[in-house]
Amino acid sequence: MRRRRRPLSLTPLVDVIFLLLLFFMLSSTFTRFAEVDLSAAAPGGSAATPETKPLFLQLAPEGLRLNGRDMPLEALADTLALAPAEGMAADAQPVLVALRGAVSAQRLTDLLVVLRAVPGIRVTVLGAS
């Protein structure tokens, strides 16, 4: 004698999907990510005075160098705030940022957030080398 197949019930499947949806909704965090303002160079902008020497930052995946000296990212804001602005009255101190190697977007964003907190600087990101 042949066994008769019962129709498949979808009720347990719907329950499992609902429980998974509930679990993922409750375990997720809903945070607002910080925004970093990026501005393009404006045509006809005033150039820095010849006496003003730009600061040179090299950002690598594992390190950071300011004018050739290694330093941690946490100490950068204090160092830039103490840096003398030689020959500058109204202009902002130019800071050139060069990316070395495979720098992640998150690492660059972390650097830009630190630089945004320092008053009186103008940041230019040069690109990868």
Side-chain angles (χ1 to χ4, degrees):
M1 183 166 167
R2 280 183 82 187
R3 283 186 153 177
R4 247 179 131 176
R5 282 189 146 175
R6 291 187 308 175
L8 185 61
S9 173
L10 294 180
T11 304
L13 181 63
V14 171
D15 290 342
V16 168
I17 291 174
F18 176 73
L19 288 174
L20 285 174
L21 178 67
L22 187 65
F23 170 75
F24 287 118
M25 285 178 60
L26 293 176
S27 63
S28 299
T29 57
F30 298 101
T31 60
R32 183 169 181 228
F33 292 99
E35 297 176 359
V36 176
D37 297 327
L38 296 177
S39 58
S46 63
T49 59
E51 298 86 29
T52 304
K53 294 181 181 178
L55 299 173
F56 187 65
L57 268 170
Q58 292 177 320
L59 181 66
E62 298 297 322
L64 177 72
R65 295 173 65 100
L66 175 63
N67 290 336
R69 293 183 317 155
D70 290 327
M71 79 170 23
L73 183 61
E74 297 80 23
L76 181 63
D78 294 333
T79 304
L80 289 177
L82 296 176
E86 300 169 2
M88 288 181 15
D91 292 341
Q93 171 70 42
V95 176
L96 302 176
V97 178
L99 306 178
R100 295 181 53 203
V103 176
S104 67
Q106 182 61 51
R107 180 129 170 96
L108 177 61
T109 303
D110 292 341
L111 174 69
L112 292 175
V113 167
V114 169
L115 292 176
R116 183 172 57 175
V118 179
I121 63 170
R122 186 180 68 240
V123 179
T124 303
V125 178
L126 299 177
S129 59

